Amino acid sequence: ISLVPENSRETKVPLISRVQNMILILKAVQEFNSELLVASEIRKNGDKEMAVQTIYLGLGQAWFVSKDGSFAGTGGPSERGWTWQPDPSIAAQVQDAIAVYDKSKPAAYVALKAVVK
């Protein structure tokens, strides 16, 4: 049984159940959209792939940096999925934000460049 049927006229799931499912989905999206997540990933840098750490802020913004700080940039959602733009000038700030996140640095305000699409 699908949580959100494609054809609401042919489903056997009662309307109240579908509404409850939609509320649960929207609640989960809202919770995720207010969270900060750091993930280890592989990102292409020209012809080579590099290990990076990426900070995701909700559903709409991300910043990444390689361990040595030589590769950094921003990301955001698009019609084709997440799109990434290199920006080496933000490497130090992203490294600082990750250090605060993983508690290897004391809590501090770290300004990150806004992701504009």
Side-chain angles (χ1 to χ4, degrees):
I1 297 175
S2 174
L3 291 177
V4 184
E6 288 185 32
N7 186 340
S8 62
R9 294 183 190 274
E10 294 179 9
T11 185
K12 296 192 181 351
V13 179
L15 178 61
I16 189 69
S17 295
R18 289 184 279 155
V19 170
Q20 288 172 337
N21 287 336
M22 288 303 299
I23 290 170
L24 290 173
I25 291 168
L26 291 172
K27 183 178 180 198
V29 167
Q30 179 185 11
E31 287 175 8
F32 181 80
N33 201 32
S34 63
E35 291 185 8
L36 186 69
L37 170 75
V38 175
S40 296
E41 301 177 329
I42 302 294
R43 190 135 353 270
K44 279 195 171 263
N45 182 11
D47 293 341
K48 61 183 177 176
E49 293 183 336
M50 295 187 72
V52 299
Q53 283 193 295
T54 305
I55 301 174
Y56 289 94
L57 177 58
L59 298 169
Q61 299 189 86
W63 301 266
F64 68 89
V65 65
S66 61
K67 188 169 188 87
D68 66 2
S70 65
F71 180 48
T74 60
S78 72
E79 292 174 1
R80 300 179 315 273
W82 281 83
T83 56
W84 303 96
Q85 298 297 318
D87 185 351
S89 71
I90 66 169
Q93 291 90 346
V94 177
Q95 286 175 324
D96 285 345
I98 291 169
V100 169
Y101 177 85
D102 69 16
K103 297 181 176 78
S104 60
K105 270 187 139 176
Y109 176 79
V110 178
L112 292 172
K113 178 180 181 178
V115 177
V116 180
K117 291 287 170 188

